[in-house]
Amino acid sequence: MPHRQAGQRHPALSIAPDEFARRRRQLMQMAGEDAALLVAAAPERMRNADAAWPYRQDSDFHYLAGFPEADAVLALLPGRRHGEAVLFCRERDPAHERWHGESIGTERAVSTYGVDDAFPIDDIDDILPGMIEGRARVYCHFGREPDFDARLLGWMRRLRQLRGGGVVPKEFVALGHLLHDLRLYKSRAELKLMRASAGIAAEAHLAAMRLARPGRHEYEVEAELMRVMRSRGAVAAFPPIVAGGANACTMHYQANRAPLREGELLLIDAGAEVDCYASDISRTFPPGGRWSREQRALYEVVLAAQQAAIDEVRPGRPFDAAHRAAVRVIAEGLCVLGLLRGDADAAIASGAYKAFFPAKTGHWLGLDVHDVGDYRVGGEPRLLEPGMVATVEPGIYVPPDDRSVAERWRGIGIRIEDDVVVTRDGNEVLTAAVPKDAEAIEALLHARD
């Protein structure tokens, strides 16, 4: 992928500046003219000594500004005569750029990123207090970044000292309630990015399936996932889970060090991130190429549960309908196979099924893998609407030490996960390119020889 200078974007995938401006206007309308809204960029975080983690912008800041650098603060000031969207960011500095690469600077913050006004971040303590003077409320993420909280309180102190306290905002309000409701509904441009992210993740999963064989190690499969994502200009949306055999029964397994063994399954949970938008796919398959009878039986239950759950991802259905559908199918299947005693109604009423399916069936997806947005509104499950995106990921996990079941079932862990958009008349599965039918998976594995 060719190097692009600071401020440049991939034209086919980028979100246009006017969409960011529209988001800012919507948020300011919701907050009201007597409010100020402050959002800080993510700080650079150190891994150890002087080595930093790869930089990833704060999702809310990215949603409103699309600006990729640290050391920046976005101030939204409804009704401000000289421009409502003000960005404080690094100035161009040849000495800094020699070590760290080109900065965007205040001029390009306006010309390329479409904010109304921009000032050097070094001047924020002198400029910003006067901008929020006289406003009744400050919307912000208080409590998220201690350094920014301290700076915000410093601005309030400065206003009180200068003006005697009469015009200092009286209220700090959590920004998330307004902003995260906006983020829940994905625009056409956002969905385009999410399709691209899903396509790259699908390609990575297919490559990993072709590579994974008994005798290889989980980390080799992880390396193949990362190779494909990086070769396509994406990064991993989260550290991939590559869990062979009983490791798949650990929900958030991270070690990725064990060898793959003949006769065991491999669970891969991995997603790509493109321009901050995530995908999230899970597949489970036999690296040796063939399912055992017990593996196949449990796999078919999970697949049926996932299909039933996906059918519930459509307008007007409550968010938890997919989970309830998956629980019903899994409870019935576990009872039929003898892992649970009695009938499905009793297993659901008592919660006995949770011994093998302890998780929920999905979560919102977008700029974050577990994306923002309330799951309940007014005490009731949220109704799905077009533009919402959720994962659907039921599973069965039989602990390796569970003596309530026959030994042949123990240590089998299976999850199947897809990313699903609510459309006007149903849904769209973004991640359908990775096969999940048991026979289709076997055919793919046999074709690698």
Side-chain angles (χ1 to χ4, degrees):
M1 191 174 180
H3 175 71
R4 281 194 282 278
Q5 296 297 315
Q8 291 182 307
R9 293 154 170 266
H10 192 301
L13 290 176
S14 63
I15 291 174
D18 63 350
E19 180 163 329
F20 289 107
R22 186 166 64 249
R23 296 169 181 177
R24 295 191 291 264
R25 283 195 303 272
Q26 281 182 284
L27 187 60
M28 286 187 280
Q29 272 186 328
M30 294 164 76
E33 286 233 342
D34 56 349
L37 304 96
L38 304 177
V39 189
E44 290 175 321
R45 302 185 191 278
M46 303 311 292
R47 181 180 185 275
N48 61 300
D50 60 350
W53 288 107
Y55 186 70
R56 203 297 192 164
Q57 187 55 275
D58 175 81
S59 294
D60 286 334
F61 187 90
H62 176 82
Y63 183 79
L64 293 170
F67 189 81
E69 292 182 358
D71 291 332
V73 173
L74 178 68
L76 300 182
L77 305 161
R80 178 175 177 263
R81 187 178 303 169
H82 300 295
E84 297 176 312
V86 179
L87 186 70
F88 295 85
C89 63
R90 295 169 179 159
E91 282 191 281
R92 299 291 307 277
D93 177 1
H96 181 274
E97 291 180 3
R98 183 174 185 185
W99 288 95
H100 302 287
E102 188 179 347
S103 297
I104 292 167
T106 52
E107 288 184 18
R108 276 194 293 178
V110 175
S111 63
T112 303
Y113 288 86
V115 294
D116 300 321
D117 212 348
F119 298 94
I121 189 69
D122 289 343
D123 296 340
I124 192 170
D125 292 338
D126 298 322
I127 297 173
L128 187 61
M131 289 181 166
I132 59 179
E133 180 183 353
R135 294 182 182 266
R137 297 180 308 287
V138 173
Y139 286 84
C140 60
H141 290 311
F142 201 75
R144 183 184 287 184
E145 292 290 348
D147 289 348
F148 183 72
D149 293 349
R151 208 161 190 185
L152 181 56
L153 292 173
W155 297 330
M156 296 300 114
R157 278 195 300 273
R158 176 171 293 199
L159 270 180
R160 288 193 188 94
Q161 290 163 0
L162 291 174
R163 308 290 180 176
V167 289
V168 181
K170 298 292 190 293
E171 201 178 353
F172 285 144
V173 185
L175 178 59
H177 182 67
L178 298 182
L179 178 53
H180 295 168
D181 213 55
L182 287 180
R183 278 180 52 187
L184 189 55
Y185 300 87
K186 307 302 187 286
S187 69
R188 201 175 298 179
E190 287 180 292
L191 290 175
K192 189 173 182 180
L193 280 167
M194 294 186 74
R195 287 189 189 95
S197 171
I200 293 170
E203 191 178 322
H205 272 264
L206 290 168
M209 286 173 143
R210 287 189 285 267
L211 178 104
R213 295 173 182 268
R216 290 196 182 274
H217 288 76
E218 292 166 346
Y219 55 74
E220 295 178 80
V221 180
E222 178 185 8
E224 183 69 355
L225 292 163
M226 303 298 282
R227 181 193 67 79
V228 173
M229 290 182 201
R230 295 299 294 128
S231 71
R232 293 288 306 276
V235 296
F238 52 93
I241 294 170
V242 183
N247 294 335
C249 299
T250 300
M251 303 297 294
H252 293 157
Y253 176 76
Q254 294 274 280
N256 296 356
R257 290 177 186 158
L260 308 183
R261 296 185 175 89
E262 186 69 52
E264 293 185 340
L265 296 180
L266 177 62
L267 187 159
I268 299 176
D269 186 342
E273 185 179 283
V274 174
D275 203 14
C276 293
Y277 283 86
S279 52
D280 189 2
I281 304 174
S282 296
R283 290 292 186 268
T284 310
F285 60 95
R290 295 201 179 281
W291 309 88
S292 73
R293 184 183 300 174
E294 290 76 19
Q295 291 166 354
R296 177 73 180 261
L298 289 178
Y299 187 87
E300 295 293 358
V301 173
V302 176
L303 182 59
Q306 200 220 20
Q307 289 165 336
I310 289 174
D311 287 344
E312 294 290 346
V313 181
R314 50 193 163 87
R317 298 296 294 147
F319 178 85
D320 70 345
H323 180 62
R324 286 187 279 109
V327 165
R328 166 62 56 180
V329 173
I330 285 174
E332 288 175 353
L334 291 172
C335 289
V336 167
L337 293 173
L339 281 82
L340 289 175
R341 296 178 179 84
D343 63 14
D345 288 340
I348 294 169
S350 68
Y353 73 90
K354 292 179 183 177
F356 307 106
F357 181 27
K360 292 297 184 185
T361 300
H363 50 79
W364 301 128
L365 183 71
L367 283 167
D368 297 320
V369 176
H370 286 252
D371 207 24
V372 295
D374 293 328
Y375 291 99
R376 301 180 72 82
V377 176
E380 295 296 322
R382 186 168 208 140
L383 299 184
L384 298 176
E385 298 177 60
M388 295 177 176
V389 185
T391 66
V392 179
E393 51 173 317
I396 291 176
Y397 314 91
V398 186
D401 58 354
D402 188 342
R403 298 189 175 278
S404 73
V405 301
E407 188 174 352
R408 67 184 188 275
W409 301 108
R410 296 176 200 163
I412 298 176
I414 296 165
R415 178 160 65 251
I416 308 171
E417 177 180 21
D418 284 297
D419 305 344
V420 185
V421 183
V422 183
T423 61
R424 195 174 298 169
D425 54 2
N427 64 56
E428 175 192 352
V429 179
L430 298 179
T431 47
V434 191
K436 56 188 176 182
D437 176 80
E439 290 183 5
I441 288 173
E442 274 195 355
L444 184 152
L445 298 175
H446 293 161
R448 57 192 182 172
D449 294 325

